[in-house]
Amino acid sequence: MRILLKIALGITFIFSSLSFINSANALDIVFAEDRPDLRTLDPRITQSRHEEMLIVNMFDQLISADSEGNIYPGLATSWDVSSDGLEYTFSLRDDVSFHDGTKFNAAAVKATFDSIVDPETGSQGAVDILGPYKETIVIDDFTAKVVFERRYGSAITAFTETELSIVSPTALDKLGNEGFGMAPVGTGPFMFKNWEANKKVELVRNPDYNWAPEYMDGSGPSQVANLTYRLIKDTSTRVAALEAGEVDIAELVPPLDMRRFDSSGDLSTVTGTVSGLPYSAFLNTTTGVFQDVNVRKAFFHSLDRVKMTSDLFFGYAEAAFGPISSSTPSYWSGNEDYYPYNPEGAAALLDEAGWKMGSDGVREKNGEKLTVFFPCLLEPDTCVAIQGYANKVGFDVNVEVVMKARQDELIFANGYDMLVIRWVSLDPGVLIIPFHSRNIPQPGKFKFNWARYANAELDQLLEDAESAETQEVKDDLYMQIQKHIMDQAIFLAIHDQVQTVAYNPDLEGVRFANGNWQMRMYDVRKK
């Protein structure tokens, strides 16, 4: 751990109060992030949990949530909801400034939310999380009324999400959407300094920060003065850098290494079981062999998800069975009754569908092989395990490990049979993002219904659930939604998402943000 003596800022906005950083207690922290191909640090646009790893430390939200999903005031000190559930009136803090020195106020809330729904912004996640947004009315400088087209039962949770962070309108006007994504300006405990593509992103402490949510341990500026994210894709390199002391904190540490660190005590560890979408695979319903629902069901039955998860994660993750994780509100336990490991049943379904086993162990029908093209962006070891199980019943699964640019190219071209995904969310309303027909990708429109499944009944259920007036009604609607998805076998849950983090044992205050994936670095300090 290095003691920070001096920082020279390379950003546009210089603050005289930065002399505060020259403190004997100030720390440099280096965080090893596993994705080098970051593309934007704009919360309004991104859908990447890896980009949000940095964003969560540079921005604040109107409402804040701890790692358990408990709600606290954030940039809003209080809020009122109209009796019809259409209007949310926020009383805002009057002591907050953006990193560029401009004042946070109601106009900034309006500018942020209006820009999210502007098609020119190209929002990939926030536009759905903002739900049936209509407008924001500026009542006065520090009172904003957010109005929805219809009741939005997930609104309070939505306002805690990183994607709905409030951005500086001044910086946005000056830089434009693309420029803002490369040099973001928020109100959070850390400020953007520098981005060296595919290598590192540097943040520095916000010396004026004095509005941390009450569940945080500290007050005033963070003890971390310089926060560097090294972008290290290779897992062994990431772990080696951690053990050598070149980095202080590393994410996505392999379970075997986690077990070793837990046994030795050489490094501290923390594991987050993530709410939202589990690690799962979409099956493309519009092209290839998965157009047949029985072939999709056979593929599901071919996998021993419990053993596969145990073999890969050594107890750090559990098998998943439904479209949302068991830790997500409105989870339906009926998911667990679908598609147990049954290779004989899988074979019977394939026989019934006309796919007969060939002499090479691959099934055929009308001269066509039962081939599945599986581009794999996340967890290559898991993708290979899926391949091994499915091949045993006659599928010819071709796994191609890809970077995000290649995956995006295939999504726009509809050039895949299955794709993996995971998504952090505190609310079942996340299901509208990958399952509503409006979110089927199109050229130039990046969306997340990668099953390309369009069904008017499911669309209506998703919209009705979004507007549910009671928790009982909400639970019932999300049960119907999950049942529909399972009946159609379009989304194959594999295992719970887990975020495995190891760090220097001299540190404390390492904590998860809401959803248990991103890390809040504000409270990190030396023991």
Side-chain angles (χ1 to χ4, degrees), residues 111-400:
T112 298
F113 292 163
D114 285 355
S115 68
I116 285 172
V117 299
D118 182 349
E120 291 298 317
T121 301
S123 176
Q124 296 181 9
V127 68
D128 286 298
I129 293 169
L130 194 51
Y133 174 79
K134 180 180 180 182
E135 62 179 336
T136 297
I137 300 170
V138 175
I139 305 299
D140 57 42
D141 280 353
F142 299 104
T143 310
K145 180 185 291 185
V146 179
V147 183
F148 293 99
E149 296 281 1
R150 60 181 186 276
R151 181 183 290 271
Y152 184 28
S154 300
I156 294 297
T157 301
F159 288 124
T160 74
E161 299 280 7
T162 306
E163 291 91 340
L164 299 194
S165 299
I166 307 303
V167 305
S168 164
T170 302
L172 191 58
D173 287 344
K174 179 179 180 179
L175 300 172
N177 288 327
E178 185 174 351
F180 186 90
M182 300 301 292
V185 180
T187 62
F190 296 93
M191 307 183 297
F192 176 82
K193 176 185 176 184
N194 182 58
W195 182 350
E196 191 174 346
N198 300 310
K199 292 185 178 180
K200 65 181 179 179
V201 179
E202 297 173 293
L203 311 182
V204 295
R205 173 173 57 189
N206 179 358
D208 299 323
Y209 195 74
N210 196 31
W211 45 87
E214 64 180 84
Y215 63 86
M216 304 300 282
D217 296 334
S219 60
S222 172
Q223 290 186 28
V224 177
N226 195 23
L227 176 58
T228 300
Y229 288 86
R230 284 186 56 192
L231 311 178
I232 307 174
K233 181 175 179 59
D234 182 73
T235 301
S236 60
T237 303
R238 212 162 52 245
V239 172
L242 178 66
E243 293 190 274
E246 297 171 8
V247 304
D248 302 294
I249 306 171
E251 70 155 352
L252 287 175
V253 175
L256 275 177
D257 290 308
M258 290 287 285
R259 188 165 66 173
R260 178 165 57 89
F261 299 151
D262 286 338
S263 298
S264 69
D266 293 339
L267 290 163
S268 298
T269 67
V270 61
T271 301
T273 299
V274 183
S275 60
L277 305 182
Y279 177 93
S280 308
F282 287 102
L283 304 189
N284 191 335
T285 63
T286 64
T287 188
V289 299
F290 288 139
Q291 294 177 79
D292 186 334
V293 66
N294 282 332
V295 175
R296 300 198 296 266
K297 290 178 178 180
F299 195 87
F300 281 31
H301 279 302
S302 73
L303 305 183
D304 189 343
R305 286 173 278 181
V306 174
K307 186 177 188 305
M308 181 166 54
T309 301
S310 176
D311 289 346
L312 290 168
F313 287 91
F314 305 99
Y316 285 92
E318 300 291 333
F321 299 96
I324 52 176
S325 70
S326 59
S327 62
T328 308
S330 299
Y331 173 77
W332 176 51
S333 61
N335 291 308
E336 295 155 25
D337 297 329
Y338 283 80
Y339 312 119
Y341 177 51
N342 184 1
E344 295 80 12
L349 283 167
L350 292 171
D351 286 338
E352 182 181 343
W355 293 96
K356 304 304 180 184
M357 187 64 80
S359 59
D360 59 355
V362 178
R363 291 178 178 266
E364 299 180 5
K365 179 180 178 180
N366 300 327
E368 177 188 356
K369 297 282 190 179
L370 188 61
T371 298
V372 174
F373 176 44
F374 183 10
C376 177
L377 177 67
L378 308 168
E379 298 185 17
D381 288 349
T382 305
C383 295
V384 170
I386 292 169
Q387 175 191 50
Y389 275 105
N391 285 1
K392 290 177 183 178
V393 300
F395 284 94
D396 177 24
V397 180
N398 299 320
V399 173
E400 178 186 328

Side-chain angles (χ1 to χ4, degrees), residues 488-508:
Q488 293 301 312
I490 57 178
F491 189 75
L492 172 59
I494 305 296
H495 63 74
D496 286 340
Q497 298 180 77
V498 290
Q499 171 63 297
T500 47
V501 175
Y503 59 95
N504 186 324
D506 293 337
L507 298 177
E508 61 183 1

